[in-house]
Amino acid sequence: KSGQVLLSIENVKVAYGGIQAVKGVSLEVREGELVSLIGANGAGKTTTLKAVTGLQPIGDGDVKYLGKSLKGQGAWDLAKQGLVMIPEGRGTFTRMTITENLQMGAYIRDDKAGILEDIDKVFSIFPRLKERRDQLAGTMSGGEQQMLAMGRALMAKPKVLLLDEPSMGLSPIMVDKIFEVVNDIHKQGVTMLLVEQNASRALAVADRGYVMESGLITMTGAGRQLLEDPKVRAAYLGE
Ligand code: ATP
């Protein structure tokens, strides 16, 4: 796959106080790709995603979406242009129902009929959400909340989806379901940047991957190639 570059992270540095969490990271995501960013706890993966969406100010470097710098643009501007993030810890509206959460995901749209159609689409991807459509999001399990977070993001009709640790804290069955959906969404043409500690699953679904260690990218390659790499296997797949 070699579509045009949709998202490029260019030599980005981020510090928390005096501590450099991201030390000059460059990464690109092309149209149609699923790119996985893997690495241990604290490697700086989440911080890199936050730098993309402006949640964390960039010390140096730049992030470009569709060729244009994202500096100074808010979450609304990004969503309007199709760049949508699903944060770690899901970020659902706990005191709203499933249906209301999905409607919130469509806040940048005003096509009522299309929105209703897309809620049905989300319900067909996640029948569990349909069963619980009137239940408050805060009363759902972690896996159900992850489904809801993904459903809500899809309601924005993303061109590029940023996913932060979707499998974190989930049961093996739920992890299977989440990766199955990630794969399906990708096949439907949504470009994705997936941050994961679950390296084997993340690389298995990825077109390309990047390995991050202590704030730097240390390896990159095709998903399958990284999955078979002895260094990656030793460090991230417990071999
Ligand atoms: P995890 O998988 O545990 O989320 P990560 O690779 O996403 O790890 P980050 O969350 O980006 O890593 O953290 C990178 C480094 O920055 C860590 O050392 C972390 O302690 C530090 N850090 C993250 N957020 C903050 C913050 N708000 N203030 C200070 N330091 C932070």
Side-chain angles (χ1 to χ4, degrees):
K1 274 172 197 161
S2 58
Q4 60 159 328
V5 176
L6 296 186
L7 180 71
S8 65
I9 299 177
E10 301 173 357
N11 197 27
V12 162
K13 297 180 185 167
V14 180
Y16 296 108
I19 298 168
Q20 283 279 338
V22 175
K23 301 171 182 166
V25 160
S26 297
L27 172 167
E28 58 180 39
V29 182
R30 291 173 177 270
E31 185 156 29
E33 277 190 322
L34 195 174
V35 173
S36 288
L37 176 60
I38 64 158
N41 234 308
K45 306 180 299 297
T46 297
T47 303
T48 302
L49 278 194
K50 286 183 176 167
V52 170
T53 55
L55 282 173
Q56 193 61 51
I58 297 175
D60 200 7
D62 202 359
V63 178
K64 291 192 182 121
Y65 179 60
L66 308 176
K68 204 173 123 208
S69 174
L70 289 181
K71 277 186 182 156
Q73 301 198 54
W76 193 85
D77 301 305
L78 304 190
K80 201 76 189 156
Q81 298 169 74
L83 183 62
V84 176
M85 164 125 150
I86 304 178
E88 193 174 20
R90 345 287 189 211
T92 55
F93 300 108
T94 55
R95 304 176 80 160
M96 289 184 179
T97 66
I98 309 297
T99 304
E100 287 165 347
N101 266 274
L102 294 176
Q103 284 162 344
M104 289 298 284
Y107 73 112
I108 51 163
R109 299 169 58 182
D110 51 18
D111 55 323
K112 280 214 175 107
I115 291 171
L116 288 176
E117 230 171 76
D118 285 347
I119 288 181
D120 277 342
K121 253 188 228 161
V122 169
F123 283 156
S124 68
I125 300 172
F126 299 112
R128 184 80 65 96
L129 296 183
K130 186 173 185 178
E131 286 164 22
R132 289 154 192 250
R133 60 209 296 168
D134 298 321
Q135 189 173 322
L136 293 183
T139 62
M140 298 206 304
S141 74
E144 290 163 353
Q145 295 207 26
Q146 182 61 44
M147 293 178 189
L148 179 57
M150 292 172 79
R152 193 183 58 184
L154 291 176
M155 290 303 298
K157 284 198 177 295
K159 189 196 264 290
V160 176
L161 202 51
L162 309 171
L163 265 157
D164 196 2
E165 307 252 5
S167 79
M168 190 167 66
L170 303 186
S171 67
I173 288 174
M174 207 52 94
V175 171
D176 286 347
K177 172 71 183 170
I178 294 300
F179 274 99
E180 193 183 296
V181 171
V182 163
N183 208 20
D184 287 348
I185 295 172
H186 174 222
K187 292 224 172 89
Q188 284 164 29
V190 178
T191 302
M192 281 195 260
L193 176 57
L194 171 64
V195 160
E196 260 295 342
Q197 272 190 57
N198 189 332
S200 62
R201 304 300 293 266
L203 292 175
V205 295
D207 296 307
R208 288 189 307 112
Y210 291 85
V211 180
M212 192 163 184
E213 269 171 57
S214 310
L216 289 167
I217 300 294
T218 52
M219 288 178 85
T220 183
R224 199 169 313 123
Q225 178 195 338
L226 289 176
L227 200 52
E228 287 163 6
D229 187 281
K231 273 183 289 181
V232 173
R233 299 194 75 84
Y236 302 103
L237 304 175
E239 290 181 11

